[in-house]
Amino acid sequence: MTETSLQDKRILITGGTGSFGRTMVKHLLEADVTQIHILSRDEAKQDEMRQSLGDPRVKFFIGDVRDRRSVDASMADTDFVFHAAALKQVPSCEFFPDQAVKTNVVGSQNVIESAHAHGVQAVVCLSTDKAVYPVNAMGMSKALMEKTAQAFARNNPNSPTTVSVTRYGNVMYSRGSVIPLFVRQIQEGKPLTVTEPRMTRFLMSLEESVDLVKHAFFHAEPGDLFVKKAPACTVDTLARAVASLMGVDEPDIRKIGMRHGEKMYETLLSPEEMTKATDQGDYFRVPLDARSLDYSKYVEDGEDGTANAPDFDSDNTEQMDVEQAKALIAALPEMRVLLGGTA
Ligand SMILES: O=c1ccn([C@@H]2O[C@H](COP(=O)(O)OP(=O)(O)O[C@H]3O[C@H](CO)[C@H](O)[C@H](O)[C@H]3O)[C@@H](O)[C@H]2O)c(=O)[nH]1
């Protein structure tokens, strides 16, 4: 596919009322798409979004990715699908792993199969660094979603639909994440609760994540996995950067300890994936392992080069200091509003 414009295209966004979906919708409307379908469960969030957008090009479908019929209804007459619907909170997936399987695995399969049945051009599935060597149910279910997407590509070489995966690190200021929490704690004059000061996380903005999805729409081969190269910092640095932006240079930091199911650092690409990855400038692309159903290739053919390969993780990527983290955070629309400017 050589085109790179979404003009005159029709797009379905599953989970379209979340942080990702809303940012994506804003960009798509600016790119002059013909129509956007949003599939999601919450009528109140849809209503709020419908009112604030006031754009007849956006059509809202109540439904659930678990329910194939509702997926089909929203899929009809679309060219591209951005699949963002997911259970993505670590604790809720730990408590209800079966629910994570239903939404993140079975739901994703419904979306992919429906896209194929409707002759959609491309599906981009949203994944997370927590899917690499997963330690919690959220990451495990996302890892299985990735496998489902890759297996579809491997088993359906003649499908009209190109299915690919984008994997993200932490998206700054997304709902329920730590930056808005630190902001609230400072506003309320409370100590900043830092889990483990040395813990590192990749930091990306929502805008960057939209760019990655667009890149995948137009450049993916079936079964591709894309990650954006991103810098990282420790949570201690993050807390100090947020505090300093809000005029507090010596914040009161309270260490609360690592939460259940957390890792000290996150990995965007495993060593196995890094050995296959191609460097595309801002992105890494990992092509599909297209071994067919020939089981002997799994058991007899080994691979050279993976034994000592490095991974790509939040400890070995570029590390930001407080000033660099401040510059990144200060550029976020939410932060600009908070600091008295405009978004
Ligand atoms: O009070 C807190 C809360 C978090 N953190 C730390 O801040 C970092 C970021 O925490 P977030 O909660 O913003 O992000 P997580 O990496 O834990 O994961 C978040 O993003 C994920 C998506 O990748 C899931 O949505 C998950 O449920 C959600 O918590 C982590 O190192 C965490 O330990 C603190 O220091 N103090």
Side-chain angles (χ1 to χ4, degrees), residues 88-90 128 130 138 170 177-178 181-182 193-195 199 201 235 256 259 262:
K88 61 161 196 140
Q89 301 218 343
V90 172
T128 158
K130 292 177 172 57
M138 194 279 274
N170 288 49
S177 68
V178 76
L181 174 72
F182 286 155
T193 53
V194 165
T195 49
M199 195 185 294
R201 288 293 182 268
V235 277
I256 56 173
R259 298 175 300 183
E262 277 192 314

Tab-separated table of all heavy atoms in Angstrom, residues 88-90 128 130 138 170 177-178 181-182 193-195 199 201 235 256 259 262, ligand 1:
chain	number	residue	atom	x	y	z
A	88	LYS	N	-7.833	-3.019	30.333
A	88	LYS	CA	-6.405	-2.671	30.332
A	88	LYS	C	-5.861	-2.366	31.714
A	88	LYS	O	-4.685	-2.054	31.862
A	88	LYS	CB	-6.151	-1.505	29.386
A	88	LYS	CG	-6.891	-0.251	29.780
A	88	LYS	CD	-6.296	0.976	29.131
A	88	LYS	CE	-6.784	2.207	29.831
A	88	LYS	NZ	-5.811	3.236	30.021
A	89	GLN	N	-6.714	-2.458	32.722
A	89	GLN	CA	-6.188	-2.176	34.058
A	89	GLN	C	-5.633	-3.459	34.676
A	89	GLN	O	-6.315	-4.497	34.672
A	89	GLN	CB	-7.279	-1.583	34.922
A	89	GLN	CG	-7.793	-0.300	34.282
A	89	GLN	CD	-8.119	0.779	35.291
A	89	GLN	OE1	-8.269	0.511	36.472
A	89	GLN	NE2	-8.234	1.993	34.815
A	90	VAL	N	-4.433	-3.349	35.185
A	90	VAL	CA	-3.774	-4.530	35.737
A	90	VAL	C	-4.599	-5.165	36.876
A	90	VAL	O	-4.874	-6.373	36.851
A	90	VAL	CB	-2.334	-4.204	36.194
A	90	VAL	CG1	-1.720	-5.378	36.943
A	90	VAL	CG2	-1.475	-3.840	34.984
A	128	THR	N	0.445	-3.627	24.358
A	128	THR	CA	1.155	-2.920	25.431
A	128	THR	C	2.489	-3.601	25.736
A	128	THR	O	2.650	-4.806	25.468
A	128	THR	CB	0.290	-2.904	26.717
A	128	THR	OG1	1.125	-2.699	27.863
A	128	THR	CG2	-0.436	-4.221	26.927
A	130	LYS	N	3.325	-4.485	28.442
A	130	LYS	CA	3.051	-5.500	29.470
A	130	LYS	C	2.785	-6.874	28.863
A	130	LYS	O	2.715	-7.875	29.578
A	130	LYS	CB	1.895	-5.044	30.352
A	130	LYS	CG	2.294	-3.827	31.192
A	130	LYS	CD	1.166	-3.291	32.039
A	130	LYS	CE	1.660	-2.210	32.989
A	130	LYS	NZ	2.328	-1.081	32.335
A	138	MET	N	-3.428	-9.040	32.618
A	138	MET	CA	-3.657	-8.069	31.539
A	138	MET	C	-2.632	-8.293	30.427
A	138	MET	O	-2.980	-8.415	29.251
A	138	MET	CB	-3.569	-6.647	32.110
A	138	MET	CG	-4.114	-5.563	31.198
A	138	MET	SD	-2.975	-5.047	29.916
A	138	MET	CE	-2.032	-3.813	30.795
A	170	ASN	N	3.885	3.315	28.439
A	170	ASN	CA	2.892	4.120	29.149
A	170	ASN	C	2.552	5.383	28.372
A	170	ASN	O	3.438	6.074	27.894
A	170	ASN	CB	3.428	4.508	30.530
A	170	ASN	CG	3.459	3.303	31.436
A	170	ASN	OD1	3.968	2.263	31.043
A	170	ASN	ND2	2.893	3.432	32.610
A	177	SER	N	-3.800	6.990	35.033
A	177	SER	CA	-2.354	6.772	35.121
A	177	SER	C	-1.721	7.721	36.145
A	177	SER	O	-2.396	8.538	36.770
A	177	SER	CB	-1.706	6.924	33.742
A	177	SER	OG	-1.768	8.255	33.329
A	178	VAL	N	-0.401	7.591	36.311
A	178	VAL	CA	0.226	8.205	37.485
A	178	VAL	C	0.392	9.733	37.367
A	178	VAL	O	0.357	10.419	38.403
A	178	VAL	CB	1.574	7.505	37.777
A	178	VAL	CG1	2.656	7.935	36.800
A	178	VAL	CG2	2.015	7.720	39.207
A	181	LEU	N	-2.483	11.539	38.736
A	181	LEU	CA	-2.501	11.291	40.187
A	181	LEU	C	-1.526	12.235	40.904
A	181	LEU	O	-1.879	12.871	41.907
A	181	LEU	CB	-2.138	9.831	40.476
A	181	LEU	CG	-1.989	9.490	41.959
A	181	LEU	CD1	-3.355	9.471	42.647
A	181	LEU	CD2	-1.289	8.143	42.154
A	182	PHE	N	-0.307	12.340	40.380
A	182	PHE	CA	0.676	13.246	40.996
A	182	PHE	C	0.157	14.692	40.975
A	182	PHE	O	0.315	15.432	41.945
A	182	PHE	CB	2.025	13.171	40.262
A	182	PHE	CG	2.826	11.909	40.534
A	182	PHE	CD1	3.762	11.447	39.608
A	182	PHE	CD2	2.661	11.186	41.717
A	182	PHE	CE1	4.514	10.294	39.851
A	182	PHE	CE2	3.407	10.027	41.961
A	182	PHE	CZ	4.330	9.579	41.023
A	193	THR	N	2.931	9.836	46.197
A	193	THR	CA	3.108	8.418	46.522
A	193	THR	C	3.904	7.754	45.399
A	193	THR	O	3.387	7.515	44.308
A	193	THR	CB	1.746	7.724	46.668
A	193	THR	OG1	0.976	7.984	45.491
A	193	THR	CG2	0.982	8.235	47.882
A	194	VAL	N	5.158	7.462	45.668
A	194	VAL	CA	6.011	6.811	44.664
A	194	VAL	C	6.186	5.349	45.060
A	194	VAL	O	6.557	5.049	46.198
A	194	VAL	CB	7.377	7.525	44.557
A	194	VAL	CG1	8.392	6.666	43.813
A	194	VAL	CG2	7.212	8.863	43.836
A	195	THR	N	5.879	4.439	44.111
A	195	THR	CA	5.934	3.006	44.448
A	195	THR	C	7.364	2.586	44.760
A	195	THR	O	7.658	2.112	45.863
A	195	THR	CB	5.395	2.154	43.269
A	195	THR	OG1	6.029	2.592	42.066
A	195	THR	CG2	3.897	2.266	43.142
A	199	MET	N	12.133	2.469	39.698
A	199	MET	CA	11.365	1.803	38.636
A	199	MET	C	11.317	2.691	37.386
A	199	MET	O	11.116	3.894	37.512
A	199	MET	CB	9.943	1.563	39.145
A	199	MET	CG	9.155	0.596	38.316
A	199	MET	SD	7.448	0.451	38.881
A	199	MET	CE	7.624	-0.291	40.465
A	201	ARG	N	9.836	3.598	33.379
A	201	ARG	CA	8.751	3.419	32.416
A	201	ARG	C	9.040	4.214	31.154
A	201	ARG	O	9.558	5.327	31.224
A	201	ARG	CB	7.416	3.918	33.012
A	201	ARG	CG	6.828	3.039	34.108
A	201	ARG	CD	6.388	1.693	33.563
A	201	ARG	NE	5.781	0.827	34.575
A	201	ARG	CZ	6.463	-0.069	35.310
A	201	ARG	NH1	7.767	-0.195	35.168
A	201	ARG	NH2	5.828	-0.835	36.163
A	235	VAL	N	10.375	6.612	38.128
A	235	VAL	CA	9.177	7.265	38.677
A	235	VAL	C	9.572	8.404	39.613
A	235	VAL	O	8.831	9.382	39.751
A	235	VAL	CB	8.196	6.316	39.398
A	235	VAL	CG1	7.300	5.641	38.417
A	235	VAL	CG2	8.862	5.332	40.276
A	256	ILE	N	5.805	3.970	48.626
A	256	ILE	CA	4.740	3.059	49.062
A	256	ILE	C	5.002	1.600	48.678
A	256	ILE	O	4.264	0.706	49.071
A	256	ILE	CB	3.354	3.498	48.500
A	256	ILE	CG1	3.400	3.603	46.966
A	256	ILE	CG2	2.903	4.813	49.128
A	256	ILE	CD1	2.041	3.869	46.321
A	259	ARG	N	3.521	-2.290	43.403
A	259	ARG	CA	2.180	-2.848	43.449
A	259	ARG	C	2.202	-4.272	42.887
A	259	ARG	O	3.082	-4.629	42.115
A	259	ARG	CB	1.214	-1.971	42.642
A	259	ARG	CG	1.103	-0.568	43.212
A	259	ARG	CD	0.252	0.325	42.346
A	259	ARG	NE	0.790	0.458	40.990
A	259	ARG	CZ	0.257	1.240	40.058
A	259	ARG	NH1	-0.820	1.940	40.328
A	259	ARG	NH2	0.790	1.326	38.866
A	262	GLU	N	3.461	-5.699	39.175
A	262	GLU	CA	4.291	-4.706	38.487
A	262	GLU	C	5.689	-5.234	38.232
A	262	GLU	O	6.190	-6.076	38.963
A	262	GLU	CB	4.442	-3.447	39.366
A	262	GLU	CG	3.307	-2.494	39.249
A	262	GLU	CD	3.641	-1.158	39.889
A	262	GLU	OE1	4.184	-1.133	41.016
A	262	GLU	OE2	3.331	-0.140	39.274
B	1	LIG	O1	0.704	6.027	43.174
B	1	LIG	C1	1.480	5.621	42.285
B	1	LIG	C2	1.020	4.923	41.138
B	1	LIG	C3	1.957	4.499	40.217
B	1	LIG	N1	3.271	4.736	40.393
B	1	LIG	C4	4.288	4.271	39.431
B	1	LIG	O2	4.194	5.040	38.254
B	1	LIG	C5	4.520	4.250	37.119
B	1	LIG	C6	3.412	4.345	36.134
B	1	LIG	O3	2.211	3.887	36.741
B	1	LIG	P1	0.813	3.885	35.964
B	1	LIG	O4	-0.251	3.358	36.863
B	1	LIG	O5	0.615	5.210	35.292
B	1	LIG	O6	1.158	2.860	34.793
B	1	LIG	P2	1.430	1.316	34.851
B	1	LIG	O7	2.730	1.086	34.154
B	1	LIG	O8	1.309	0.733	36.202
B	1	LIG	O9	0.239	0.737	33.987
B	1	LIG	C7	-0.846	1.531	33.565
B	1	LIG	O10	-0.934	1.470	32.196
B	1	LIG	C8	-1.247	0.185	31.717
B	1	LIG	C9	-1.289	0.245	30.244
B	1	LIG	O11	-0.011	0.031	29.727
B	1	LIG	C10	-2.527	-0.320	32.332
B	1	LIG	O12	-3.603	0.442	31.911
B	1	LIG	C11	-2.398	-0.273	33.839
B	1	LIG	O13	-3.593	-0.717	34.450
B	1	LIG	C12	-2.101	1.094	34.269
B	1	LIG	O14	-1.956	1.165	35.660
B	1	LIG	C13	4.745	2.827	37.628
B	1	LIG	O15	6.109	2.604	37.726
B	1	LIG	C14	4.090	2.830	39.001
B	1	LIG	O16	4.724	1.963	39.916
B	1	LIG	C15	3.724	5.432	41.490
B	1	LIG	O17	4.918	5.655	41.660
B	1	LIG	N2	2.806	5.848	42.412
